[in-house]
Amino acid sequence: MCGGMAAKGPGGPRWWQNRRARLLCMLALTFLFFVVEVVVSRVTSSLAMLSDSFHMLSDVMALVVALVAVRFAQRTRATKKNTFGWVRAEVMGALVNAVFLTALCFTILLEAIERFTEPHEIQQPLVVIGVGVAGLIINLLGLCLFNHHGVGGHGHSHGHSHSGRQHPRSGSKPEQPPGDGEAALHREETSTLVENCSSSNGVSQENSELNNHRSNDMADLQVNGNAGHYPMDVEEVEEDSSAQLNMRGVFLHVFGDALGSVIVVLNALLFYGLWNPCPKDGPCFNPCVNNHCMENATLSQTLGGANKSEQESITVAGPCWLLYLDPILCLIMVCILLYTTYPLLRESALILLQTVPKQIDVHSLNSKLRTLEGVEAVHELHIWQLAGSRIIGTAHIKCPDPSTYMMVAKRIKEIFHDEGIHATTIQPEFASVGSESGRGKCEFPCRTQCALKQCCGTGEDSTAKKTEKSSSLSISCSEVVIEFPKTRRTKSESIPSVKLEANADQNEQFESSL
Amino acid sequence: MGRYSGKTCRLIFMLVLTVGFFVAELVSGYLGNSIALVSDSFNMLSDLISLCVGLSTGRIARRSRRGPRATYGYSRAEAVGALSNAVFLTALCFVVCVEAILRLARPEAIDDPQLVLIVGTLGLAVNLVGLLVFQDWGACCCRRRRRRRPPASPPAAATLQAVPGGAPTGEADEAGDSPNDQKSPEEGPEKKKVKKSEALNIRGVLLHVMGDALGSVVVVVAATIFHVLPLGNAPCNWQCYIDPSLTIIMVFIILSSAFPLIKETSIILLQMVPKGVNMQLLTDRLARVPGVSSLHEVHVWELAGGKNIATLHIKCQTPTDYQDAAYKIRKVFHEAGIHSVTIQPEYIDHKTSLLLCSSPCISKACDSQLCCSQREPALAKTNGYTEKNDSCLSALHKDNGSSKNDVEIPIEYPLAENSVKNVKNCDRSDGKSQLSSTRL
């Protein structure tokens, strides 16, 4: 059932629907079950059922969050509001779900502690068992649906992305992991490319053509002309990684719910089997329920009375430890959930914090760049992960003159490429005449007052005093401004400034397929 | 930690207060055998958690050391912490709402309203103290010259963009930060930056405290009603519905103030263009900088707390073009409030469209991993106009890796025809004849 659900045929824009379809399917099921549970609880007037149904509702909310994130993340075009597109939405969705789950764990914990102090009996255990089993089935189904994005994850490392392998184009990729989402996804990618462009290169999520220009003569790595030569892992990693986070969030929610259902069913079964309830008629003594004020009185009364006369007709409510089973199991469940949620929380938080992805070593990158011939200094080196395998880097490279820079520019990009950083912005800086000492300093900082507003302002300290060979990783723009006019060497050559008026027909839509 | 001790001290103070009250409530709840007390004490626990999150993210953000693991430092931690707090609060509201609905379905009376009233009042007092603590300093601080104390954030719902109190209110935190930059002392922009990012952090905590305060208000009101009109053993009348209905109203109030916070943190975390920046205007201005033939891959985003970062690629004719243009470009950005700019120059060659990157990465295969695909350039502008993006560019030619010094003027571009504009300085001759634009 799961496999059949997930593995759709190749072709057609269904790869993304795969994720969406699963989410929608689960959403519908869960909501339906929630409604059923509410109705049943009203019919049987069981409060426990009603409160359990709201666990399903929290599931629904988590699914909605994930769906919204998936919808957003498909819009990878740059817009006026977001120059990167919305690819990060899934990471945020994952974080929101993880925090939501943590909060729910917290409330379950509180409830469990409350139950310790005031144990409840389960009323109508049969009904509870019935509905609990139904809920468990639905949750197991959900687990199945989202299994690939399970707790361990695929374990795809980003290291695949830059290996530069070339795979023969084929309709189906035999080396794909079984199941589905990813395979169908890639098939869709390739077929999209084939449909729209004669010579397609790379992969895209949109149906537009790839401009097949080459920026430099990296012929060996160029894959132009051969439609579809692209490393499959690239797509896989990309789609997997950030989508994976999102789906993991959903999976954890469903998992938590499943655990909850298991506990409910187990508890109800044991209760049904072992509990000796108080019959409605006849005296009954329940030793498990603490009632300070009346406890001792009742106890002595009933026992005293019983000792004298019919002892056997006093029923004592069943083994007390049963009442404590529920909170204990809940505690265990909370621990399990927290333990499995924490990695997701950490991962998505690290991406959102603009940290360096864990497979990249900035120190070695820095040293590689600096040892290039023609590179005098490297500063403001920033690497961060947008989402998935899209890693972005910026750096300021100081070179003696423009022609040197031309020579090393390709090498620089290669070095970044080897690390898996493909979107880079390299700013060349040329040493101003006569400022040999200014090696470590940024040639183009903003004004002095802006130092604190810069991304790497000198709020901490001005590390610009260090030279390029220092161990400091990146040197912030100095507060001491190198007077900009000095670097203007254009007095001798006047540049014709071609002034063109802004054309009225500017396209308002800064849309691009990304 | 010196200049930030104000905020941290307040958080720590609040933390201590909350812990104390939590413990007291818990103990008295067990001693007095009141479940209401015990459950109310756990409300304090959620407050505690949010305070801890606020404190720890504040600490993390403040030690924004750039290091091998985080090249931007951890200044974003506050945004993440604020988002976590807001989501946490939303989840708690959801649970509270559920319980209120259950209570509506099966109303119960409050037993022992006196005890509940007392504890509720105490809780309310603690929360009010907390609210005051976070606000009051701001009011008195702004009158001074704000040397050592960052101004506090105004109440949660209020705008954080305006500088509180004494500073001129005319400046919203627009893109045009610049009038201040030149005049105000160094502390000024720093305080605003500090205020903005810390404000997010504090706002998250404030939301929790406010939610707690509202909860205490509801408890007090309900307990008062039961105290004044005791129910005894009578079945539930309208009094029993007061508590749940007030609770639901309270949930709505809290949610309506949590969502703006979530939105604001989303702007930062999703790498959106910061609020004060108008991309259209910015790219217009940038395109008009002389020496810039076109620009593409323009990205503007906010790191945290007012620090905006931009990167872009420009196409120029010559390196000297670039250096001239670089300064002016920075000026444009500076006026827009963006002070960290990285500009990648590319030199025009006739093989590639003006709007596409000459050097995206070394191979086409990486296209999917670029932040923005190269097939249709994002926010690309040529000098004076934007090119409409065709779905398939007709010229699918291979680039032979022409050297970047090749500055032949593209003649065959479709752009050429509609670009003849008012060319004022076209007659300024130059040493390089190549630069005579065909557009003139």
Side-chain angles (χ1 to χ4, degrees):
Chain A
M1 161 54 162
C2 311
M5 185 85 184
K8 302 203 167 149
R14 264 181 268 156
W15 62 267
W16 56 270
Q17 272 181 352
N18 226 350
R19 247 172 17 209
R20 261 185 89 203
R22 281 188 266 177
L23 285 172
L24 279 172
C25 173
M26 190 64 193
L27 183 68
L29 271 177
T30 316
F31 192 69
L32 204 63
F33 190 68
F34 161 69
V35 169
V36 163
E37 250 190 327
V38 169
V39 167
V40 166
S41 81
R42 288 308 277 167
V43 164
T44 63
S45 63
S46 148
L47 200 61
M49 188 97 312
L50 195 61
S51 63
D52 190 56
S53 71
F54 283 108
H55 280 180
M56 282 287 168
L57 193 62
S58 77
D59 235 7
V60 167
M61 286 175 62
L63 283 165
V64 165
V65 167
L67 258 177
V68 166
V70 166
R71 278 302 305 252
F72 258 102
Q74 276 152 13
R75 298 200 241 154
T76 53
R77 299 163 180 242
T79 60
K80 270 187 284 189
K81 285 215 180 133
N82 195 335
T83 52
F84 288 104
W86 298 97
V87 284
R88 254 213 186 166
E90 289 194 289
V91 180
M92 246 189 87
L95 182 74
V96 168
N97 269 338
V99 175
F100 192 55
L101 192 58
T102 310
L104 287 182
C105 284
F106 173 70
T107 54
I108 293 176
L109 188 70
L110 293 187
E111 264 182 48
I113 292 182
E114 245 178 278
R115 288 273 178 90
F116 264 123
T117 56
E118 207 181 80
H120 292 208
E121 279 181 38
I122 298 184
Q123 320 285 344
Q124 298 163 321
L126 278 178
V127 172
V128 174
I129 290 178
V131 181
V133 166
L136 186 61
I137 290 178
I138 291 191
N139 285 323
L140 284 178
L141 186 70
L143 282 183
C144 211
L145 274 181
F146 297 118
N147 189 30
H148 320 289
H149 310 277
V151 175
H154 268 286
H156 279 292
S157 71
H158 299 284
H160 288 175
S161 56
H162 55 267
S163 58
R165 277 177 279 165
Q166 299 186 358
H167 295 247
R169 171 92 177 261
S170 56
S172 64
K173 308 276 181 278
E175 64 264 20
Q176 289 308 308
D180 52 333
E182 287 67 52
L185 185 150
H186 303 307
R187 286 194 285 271
E188 159 51 23
E189 305 273 332
T190 54
S191 58
T192 310
L193 288 169
V194 169
E195 285 159 23
N196 295 318
C197 304
S198 50
S199 70
S200 57
N201 256 340
V203 296
S204 81
Q205 299 178 6
E206 327 289 334
N207 304 333
S208 69
E209 182 163 38
L210 182 67
N211 185 18
N212 201 355
H213 80 278
R214 204 196 307 202
S215 61
N216 43 38
D217 48 89
M218 287 292 149
D220 49 346
L221 285 167
Q222 232 351 303
V223 289
N224 68 66
N226 301 323
H229 270 242
Y230 57 100
M232 280 312 295
D233 311 82
V234 169
E235 249 333 285
E236 200 168 67
V237 172
E238 159 163 23
E239 281 314 315
D240 224 15
S241 178
S242 66
Q244 180 189 359
L245 280 181
N246 197 16
M247 292 293 144
R248 252 166 84 183
V250 173
F251 177 83
L252 285 176
H253 265 268
V254 176
F255 178 63
D257 227 11
L259 277 183
S261 295
V262 164
I263 290 179
V264 163
V265 168
L266 196 62
N267 207 23
L269 272 176
L270 282 178
F271 220 77
Y272 183 62
L274 301 178
W275 181 251
N276 203 0
C278 273
K280 297 203 172 41
D281 45 352
C284 176
F285 165 59
N286 193 342
C288 309
V289 179
N290 276 345
N291 210 345
H292 285 189
C293 312
M294 303 197 287
E295 180 184 70
N296 296 331
T298 323
L299 184 56
S300 53
Q301 251 179 12
T302 48
L303 282 187
N307 276 338
K308 299 211 174 82
S309 55
E310 318 95 335
Q311 198 166 359
E312 301 78 20
S313 60
I314 303 292
T315 46
V316 178
C320 281
W321 58 269
L322 270 179
L323 290 179
Y324 293 100
L325 189 65
D326 193 10
I328 290 177
L329 288 178
C330 275
L331 276 180
I332 297 178
M333 172 181 100
V334 162
C335 288
I336 294 178
L337 276 182
L338 284 179
Y339 180 71
T340 50
T341 307
Y342 177 67
L344 176 67
L345 192 63
R346 212 182 114 92
E347 249 187 76
S348 46
L350 280 180
I351 295 182
L352 292 178
L353 285 173
Q354 310 283 93
T355 53
V356 177
K358 41 187 186 300
Q359 70 272 13
I360 295 180
D361 181 5
V362 179
H363 271 303
S364 78
L365 180 65
N366 203 11
S367 52
K368 274 190 215 163
L369 286 172
R370 274 189 302 203
T371 50
L372 274 183
E373 211 177 286
V375 170
E376 284 182 10
V378 174
H379 55 257
E380 289 285 341
L381 178 65
H382 293 291
I383 316 274
W384 54 281
Q385 182 176 6
L386 178 64
S389 60
R390 301 192 208 229
I391 306 181
I392 301 185
T394 63
H396 296 191
I397 308 274
K398 199 157 201 167
C399 295
D401 51 61
S403 46
T404 328
Y405 171 65
M406 299 304 183
M407 294 188 309
V408 297
K410 291 177 211 160
R411 278 294 300 150
I412 292 176
K413 291 266 179 181
E414 247 186 62
I415 291 179
F416 274 108
H417 171 89
D418 286 339
E419 294 276 342
I421 306 164
H422 305 282
T424 54
T425 304
I426 309 285
Q427 173 169 295
E429 293 173 4
F430 308 113
S432 44
V433 178
S435 74
E436 275 310 306
S437 63
R439 278 191 164 185
K441 296 185 185 153
C442 198
E443 294 282 338
F444 301 142
C446 204
R447 303 182 193 175
T448 328
Q449 305 92 331
C450 314
L452 298 155
K453 284 202 159 223
Q454 290 178 330
C455 73
C456 318
T458 54
E460 313 97 61
D461 53 359
S462 53
T463 52
K465 306 296 183 297
K466 301 183 192 168
T467 65
E468 60 174 291
K469 298 294 180 227
S470 76
S471 60
S472 108
L473 168 64
S474 41
I475 303 170
S476 66
C477 284
S478 164
E479 275 187 279
V480 176
V481 175
I482 295 182
E483 288 311 313
F484 210 84
K486 260 199 295 190
T487 64
R488 293 185 59 156
R489 300 180 270 189
T490 58
K491 292 291 160 67
S492 50
E493 320 161 307
S494 58
I495 315 294
S497 50
V498 178
K499 285 201 164 57
L500 303 173
E501 263 175 15
N503 197 2
D505 71 343
Q506 286 152 9
N507 192 0
E508 296 308 306
Q509 292 294 105
F510 289 95
E511 298 280 56
S512 77
S513 64
L514 297 175
Chain B
M1 281 279 275
R3 58 167 83 98
Y4 301 102
S5 61
K7 282 277 195 268
T8 320
C9 277
R10 268 181 284 176
L11 281 171
I12 293 181
F13 169 70
M14 197 54 202
L15 188 72
V16 167
L17 198 64
T18 313
V19 167
F21 194 66
F22 166 65
V23 168
E25 242 187 335
L26 200 61
V27 166
S28 62
Y30 275 115
L31 287 183
N33 193 33
S34 157
I35 287 301
L37 273 181
V38 172
S39 63
D40 191 56
S41 73
F42 286 118
N43 279 345
M44 284 281 163
L45 188 63
S46 81
D47 232 8
L48 261 178
I49 291 180
S50 79
L51 270 171
C52 287
V53 168
L55 254 181
S56 55
T57 54
R59 272 241 169 109
I60 291 175
R62 229 161 278 127
R63 71 166 167 106
S64 319
R65 286 274 127 209
R66 297 194 288 155
R69 297 267 38 103
T71 51
Y72 285 112
Y74 289 99
S75 42
R76 264 217 181 158
E78 278 163 353
V80 174
L83 180 70
S84 304
N85 268 338
V87 173
F88 194 70
L89 187 66
T90 307
L92 289 183
C93 282
F94 166 70
V95 171
V96 165
C97 197
V98 162
E99 280 187 25
I101 291 178
L102 289 179
R103 222 18 127 73
L104 276 178
R106 193 173 289 197
E108 292 172 16
I110 299 182
D111 38 322
D112 199 0
Q114 286 86 357
L115 182 60
V116 174
L117 187 58
I118 292 172
V119 175
T121 317
L122 278 176
L124 185 60
V126 168
N127 287 322
L128 283 180
V129 165
L131 282 176
L132 283 177
V133 155
F134 282 120
Q135 287 188 34
D136 201 26
W137 289 28
C140 77
C141 256
C142 59
R143 267 171 248 137
R144 302 195 242 162
R145 207 34 198 130
R146 287 181 266 143
R147 267 163 325 172
R148 297 278 296 180
R149 303 239 173 82
S153 66
T159 169
L160 287 164
Q161 311 261 346
V163 179
T169 51
E171 64 187 74
D173 202 3
E174 277 290 326
D177 251 351
S178 51
N180 271 353
D181 277 352
Q182 284 125 25
K183 300 180 205 119
S184 65
E186 213 168 77
E187 301 257 331
E190 176 221 332
K191 283 300 168 339
K192 264 206 282 187
K193 158 196 83 135
V194 161
K195 172 181 67 66
K196 230 180 127 178
S197 81
E198 290 217 35
L200 273 184
N201 199 16
I202 300 292
R203 259 170 90 181
V205 173
L206 256 183
L207 267 183
H208 270 262
V209 174
M210 186 184 82
D212 226 10
L214 280 180
S216 299
V217 165
V218 170
V219 162
V220 164
V221 166
T224 315
I225 291 182
F226 273 99
H227 181 64
V228 166
L229 305 168
L231 212 52
N233 284 332
C236 254
N237 56 358
W238 61 274
Q239 286 173 298
C240 301
Y241 293 95
I242 293 269
D243 192 3
S245 26
L246 282 182
T247 307
I248 293 185
I249 294 179
M250 169 191 99
V251 159
F252 277 118
I253 295 178
I254 297 178
L255 284 182
S256 66
S257 32
F259 280 141
L261 181 63
I262 293 182
K263 270 177 66 177
E264 263 192 56
T265 49
S266 310
I267 289 181
I268 294 181
L269 294 177
L270 285 175
Q271 312 284 100
M272 289 171 69
V273 173
K275 268 208 212 127
V277 174
N278 181 344
M279 281 307 288
Q280 174 85 29
L281 206 59
L282 190 62
T283 45
D284 277 347
R285 282 202 206 145
L286 286 172
R288 280 194 221 115
V289 168
V292 171
S293 305
S294 74
L295 35 112
H296 55 271
E297 290 273 348
V298 182
H299 295 291
V300 179
W301 51 283
E302 181 174 358
L303 177 63
K307 293 184 186 167
N308 298 332
I309 299 179
T311 63
L312 75 157
H313 299 189
I314 61 174
K315 287 213 184 204
C316 311
Q317 313 277 14
T318 63
T320 41
D321 262 354
Y322 160 60
Q323 294 194 308
D324 266 347
Y327 176 67
K328 299 195 181 95
I329 289 176
R330 277 170 204 282
K331 191 147 167 262
V332 171
F333 274 116
H334 171 89
E335 281 157 16
I338 303 161
H339 305 279
S340 305
V341 183
T342 306
I343 306 174
Q344 171 168 301
E346 295 163 11
Y347 299 100
I348 291 185
D349 51 40
H350 59 276
K351 301 269 172 47
T352 56
S353 154
L354 264 187
L355 293 179
L356 292 178
C357 204
S358 302
S359 56
C361 190
I362 57 177
S363 98
K364 282 295 165 317
C366 317
D367 190 64
S368 65
Q369 290 170 295
L370 297 177
C371 73
C372 321
S373 157
Q374 290 306 302
R375 280 148 307 104
E376 284 185 26
L379 289 172
K381 264 188 114 89
T382 53
N383 205 341
Y385 55 89
T386 34
E387 175 181 276
K388 294 221 195 300
N389 301 315
D390 303 324
S391 60
C392 281
L393 289 176
S394 47
L396 289 184
H397 40 254
K398 295 182 199 149
D399 192 335
N400 286 329
S402 50
S403 145
K404 295 216 166 78
N405 275 328
D406 186 355
V407 289
E408 291 163 40
I409 303 302
I411 302 178
E412 66 272 21
Y413 279 144
L415 323 164
E417 58 253 0
N418 57 344
S419 65
V420 179
K421 297 293 182 289
N422 182 14
V423 279
K424 285 194 266 182
N425 302 336
C426 57
D427 54 356
R428 236 168 71 185
S429 70
D430 46 329
K432 303 189 172 61
S433 57
Q434 305 147 321
L435 289 178
S436 59
S437 169
T438 55
R439 304 201 181 103
L440 306 183

